Every structure is written in structure tokens, then in C-alpha cells.
Amino acid sequence: MVTPRRRLAVLAGKATGALSRATRRGGGTTFPGDVARAIDPQVLRRLIGDLRGGAILITGTNGKTTTARLVAGLLQGMGARVVTNRAGSNLIYGATAAAVAGAGLDGRLRADWGVFEIDEATLPAAVEETRPVAVVVGNLFRDQLDRYGELELLARTIQGALERLPEGGRAVLNADDPRVGEIGLGLPRPPLWYGVEDRSVSLSELPHAADARTCPHCGARLEFSAVYVGHDGVYACPNRDFARPAPEVVATSVTLDGLDRICIEVGGVRVEAPLGGLYNVYNVLAAFSVGTVLGLNQHFMAESLKKAVAAFGRQERFERRGRRFTIMLAKNPTGFNEILRESERADGRHFLIGLNDRIADGRDVSWIWDVDFELLAGRAEVVVPSGVRAHDMALRLKYAEVTAATEPEPDLGLALDRLTEATPEGGDAYLLCTYTAMLDLRALLVQRGWLRPYWAT
Ligand SMILES: [Zn+2]
């Protein structure tokens, strides 16, 4: 039954969304959720009740957006109607806004599935209100330094939320992440574990941005026999009281083809996706695992993932003035290191690095000292430091002995012009940005007519 209050909440939310799109306030991603919840605090719970399938939540430090998009793609490939929240609007208001946008004027949600990326700290509320059939926890990396120390607390928050999953709800966890392993081993019902098994793509040691290397039980330093991304790999405590759980959904025979394609084998099925980088192997594997929980056919999933597209801002590509541009979001040391490694594999030589220090980026930018910019030394032909903190970036590059670094140019537009000029025709240029720098850059590209606004894509 649709109560009048719920219907009013939905209508008011929809009107707010239309108004903010009309006034171009960034696509109106969360404000409709605020308005709808102010009228009916239960509106999300009620709308989710209309879903025929149910809700799927995706959380973790890196890869939420891409994983959510892959899962949504799998479901849409079956002809299902899927409601998803937009990248970055991953609080309860963003999920509510998405549900409101998917509802009809009668106040009913017209969809089969809800796939929501959820901020780690919001997971308890999201589990409570959406009663999900699956919750993915991809990884728990240290975000920026000013949030350091919160990882333990976040792990406990996530564990608490997973303990309260409804009957039939399944946790889908990355076995290769020690923090996620710790969470999952403490759950009353066994999760579905996924992980990578291919030594040919592992590093011999932890990159220096890695954290979470100690045993949660005895505090001893974990020993890694393989390291894949950040602190994710195959680990065990030397005192034998903690080790990586054996994954059920496993990626073997990993092939990385620059930024264009990954290929893995999962349970004897060859899975290809037009995404680059080892971190995307984890995102594809997470989506495959959700599909496994839902009982989807493996061959169907493999076919569907071939057509995947990178989520907004993560590896968006476009061509202008005879150059190919790739936008990559880099919001923390682990993510940044992965992107630098990927650009190295793709033989990238021309870069713009946009560093901002707004709240969404983390106000303290000293985390850039944990990023291995040394990877660019001797390889890059031009690196333009830009964004609000262009000068800090320039200093970091200087210490990394990146002689190709230019003078800092805080103005993203001028920095982009400088990069375009320095990139030969037919060449590749990489735009590596923190979150708000990416939004600024994207807005600029839309203004110049180089890209479409993201709410229109
Ligand atoms: Zn131990």
C-alpha cells in the first residue's frame, strides 16, 4: 500500500531533482533524497519493498562505482530494470534519491533490483533500510592521512552491519584483503569469498603505501606470499592464528592488456572485460561473485562483462585535437600507485596531475608522499602539476626526480592546454585527478564541448 505520506515524499523529491537539473546544480544527485526523507523518513525502506529482486550494496575504499556498474550491467543484461545511485552520492541520501528518481508518480518504485554503492560508514543504515540480498566489501585501504586510525573503527562498523544481514542476505567478501578477511571470519554465517590466484601478476613486496599488515589477533606482522593491489594478496600470520580464507570464486590466468582489457579465468570460464588494471580484476570478480550468489549463469556473465564500460571518471576516455585522453581518478595512495603502474604498462608519457584539498579530497595532502611518483622519473616526457595544490604536487615531483615536471599551473584549463600542446599528435595523455579536481576538470571539458554532462550519459 502506498501511503499518502510516501507518495508526497516521492513527488517532492522528484520535483527537487527536476529543479536542480534545470538550474544545473550538478545533476541533483542527493538533494531529492534529503527532501523525500524529511517528509517520510521511511521512504527508502518502503520503496525498496517494491523491488521484485531486492537490493545489492557495494562498499569498500576503492572500486565501488565500477563494481556497482558491473553488477547493474549483469542484471540489465537479463532484461531487469535496475535502480542505481550516481557515483559519489553514496550516503543514504544518495540511495534514497536514486529510489525516488526510479519511482512513478503513484509513489511506487518501478524496478526489479536496486544496486547501490554505499560509503563504508553508511553501511549499517543502508543494511537496515534496504535489507539487501548481497553486500560486497571490496577492500579497506587507508584513505587520506587525516582519516588514519579510522580503519579499525570502520572494520568494526562493517562487521556489525554484516552481522545484521537479513535471512537470505549474503556477504560477498574479498579474501585477499586482510581487513576484509578479519571482518568475514568473525561473521555468524559464512560469506562468499573471492580472490586472485596468479603469481605472475603479483609484486614481490608490499608497496610503501600499503597498510593493515598486522595480525588482528596477535599483532605480528603478516607474511605475504603474493601481493596484488595495495595490501591485497595472499597473507598469513607467522603465529598461525590468522590467514587469508580460501576463496570460492577465484581468478586465475590473469592477463593484463594495458588499459584496454583484462582477461581472467573463473571456475573454468574465460572472462574478459574492456577495463584496465589489476584493480579492475577485483571489480570484475566482485561482480561475478554477486552474480554467483544470485544464481546467474557463468557463461551469460562472461558475455555480459565483455560489454562493460568503466564507471564515470574511472578511466573515461575521449579524443580531441588528434590526441587520446584518459581521465583517471586517484583519491588515495593505493589507488594512485595502481594508476601509475597501469599507465606504465600502457607506456604513458604525458600527464596532468590535478591535486585538490577540498573536504571530499581530504584537506591534508601529505598523503602524496606515500605515492610512488618515482615511477614517472626517466619515463614521463611531460607532467603538469595542477589543481588547488599544484605547488605541493610540483614539490613532490621534484623530490621524485621527475625532471619532466613543468612549473605548477593551478588553473586546470591552462594546465590542460599545456599538456595538449606537449603531447604529440596521435599520442596519449593522462589526466590523473583527485575527486574534486576530476569534477572540476570534467565540468571544464563539458563547457568546452569535449564531453557530455554526466547526468546526460
Ligand atoms: Zn597472529
Side-chain angles (χ1 to χ4, degrees):
M1 228 255 319
V2 178
T3 61
R5 174 183 278 224
R6 161 174 166 184
R7 184 152 178 248
L8 180 64
V10 167
L11 291 175
K14 291 178 93 66
T16 310
L19 189 66
S20 72
R21 272 191 303 278
T23 53
R24 300 229 145 206
R25 286 170 191 262
T29 45
T30 73
F31 200 41
D34 299 45
V35 169
R37 294 179 72 87
I39 294 169
D40 182 358
Q42 300 298 318
V43 67
L44 178 60
R45 189 191 301 266
R46 295 188 215 274
L47 289 170
I48 292 296
D50 293 338
L51 293 173
R52 286 181 206 190
I56 295 158
L57 308 182
I58 323 278
T59 195
T61 314
N62 290 344
K64 286 190 283 283
T65 307
T66 302
T67 304
R69 189 166 281 201
L70 292 172
V71 170
L74 286 177
L75 296 166
Q76 282 157 343
M78 300 191 308
R81 291 168 304 176
V82 184
V83 164
T84 58
N85 52 341
R86 288 287 186 179
S89 35
N90 55 21
L91 302 181
I92 204 79
Y93 305 98
T96 308
V100 164
L105 297 178
D106 60 356
R108 277 190 195 284
L109 180 52
R110 301 178 186 287
D112 304 303
W113 296 92
V115 178
F116 303 107
E117 63 161 285
I118 294 293
D119 180 83
E120 302 93 294
T122 300
L123 193 64
V127 164
E128 157 99 23
E129 294 192 26
T130 68
R131 304 186 59 76
V133 293
V135 178
V136 176
V137 185
N139 50 59
L140 281 175
F141 294 130
R142 178 158 59 103
D143 237 352
Q144 293 85 12
L145 286 186
D146 51 348
R147 296 188 200 163
Y148 195 42
E150 289 179 9
L151 258 194
E152 273 303 324
L153 180 65
L154 271 187
R156 282 202 297 277
T157 303
I158 292 170
Q159 184 168 346
L162 296 180
E163 281 166 358
R164 289 191 295 278
L165 277 182
E167 195 73 31
R170 188 98 191 260
V172 177
L173 307 181
N174 179 3
D176 295 355
D177 188 296
R179 298 268 182 195
V180 178
E182 181 189 343
I183 290 169
L185 290 169
L187 293 179
R189 273 181 290 152
L192 176 71
W193 295 107
Y194 62 88
V196 174
E197 288 283 0
D198 186 344
R199 303 292 150 122
S200 74
V201 289
S202 90
L203 296 173
S204 51
E205 56 186 58
L206 288 171
H208 75 260
D211 43 40
R213 326 168 197 197
T214 54
C215 171
H217 300 304
C218 69
R221 181 169 282 247
L222 294 176
E223 289 172 351
F224 281 80
S225 56
V227 177
Y228 297 118
V229 171
H231 61 223
D232 289 356
V234 181
Y235 51 87
C237 172
N239 298 325
R240 297 168 177 233
D241 55 355
F242 177 67
R244 174 220 201 199
E248 199 176 314
V249 178
V250 186
T252 56
S253 308
V254 176
T255 314
L256 303 171
D257 183 4
L259 282 169
D260 298 319
R261 202 174 61 101
I262 50 180
C263 184
I264 52 178
E265 232 177 85
V266 189
V269 178
R270 197 180 147 87
V271 179
E272 265 183 53
L275 300 167
L278 199 47
Y279 53 95
N280 274 319
V281 167
Y282 279 100
N283 296 331
V284 167
L285 205 51
F288 201 90
S289 302
V290 170
T292 303
V293 165
L294 303 182
L296 302 190
N297 176 285
Q298 291 196 322
H299 297 280
F300 159 76
M301 288 198 276
E303 273 309 303
S304 170
L305 288 165
K306 260 189 203 167
K307 292 171 258 166
V309 278
F312 145 72
R314 283 92 179 147
Q315 288 187 16
E316 197 167 24
R317 302 177 104 172
F318 62 95
E319 276 191 47
R320 281 287 145 160
R321 300 192 188 158
R323 282 97 173 157
R324 285 185 301 274
F325 292 87
T326 304
I327 307 176
M328 300 174 99
L329 175 67
K331 55 180 184 172
N332 50 39
T334 301
F336 222 130
N337 282 338
E338 290 312 312
I339 279 171
L340 290 173
R341 273 171 69 196
E342 288 326 309
S343 72
E344 188 178 22
R345 284 200 189 94
D347 198 29
R349 291 169 188 276
H350 310 92
F351 300 89
L352 177 158
I353 302 181
L355 178 66
N356 277 4
D357 64 356
R358 296 195 199 122
I359 289 167
D361 306 296
R363 301 310 299 256
D364 178 352
V365 296
S366 60
W367 61 271
I368 60 173
W369 293 89
D370 283 339
V371 179
D372 298 326
F373 289 106
E374 286 74 9
L375 284 170
L376 294 174
R379 170 164 68 92
E381 282 165 16
V382 65
V383 183
V384 186
S386 187
V388 178
R389 299 296 287 267
H391 287 85
D392 297 73
M393 195 62 236
L395 183 66
R396 175 69 189 90
L397 291 168
K398 190 175 169 201
Y399 272 85
E401 297 181 2
V402 180
T403 49
T406 71
E407 288 295 303
E409 175 48 75
D411 184 291
L412 282 166
L414 295 175
L416 180 63
D417 294 339
R418 189 188 289 174
L419 176 70
T420 309
E421 198 106 308
T423 305
E425 271 199 54
D428 281 287
Y430 295 86
L431 311 167
L432 317 182
C433 292
T434 60
Y435 193 67
T436 70
M438 185 199 69
L439 294 179
D440 289 353
L441 180 70
R442 225 181 168 287
L444 175 91
L445 292 168
V446 168
Q447 211 175 43
R448 288 188 179 184
W450 291 20
L451 278 182
R452 297 172 65 190
Y454 70 82
W455 61 89
T457 56

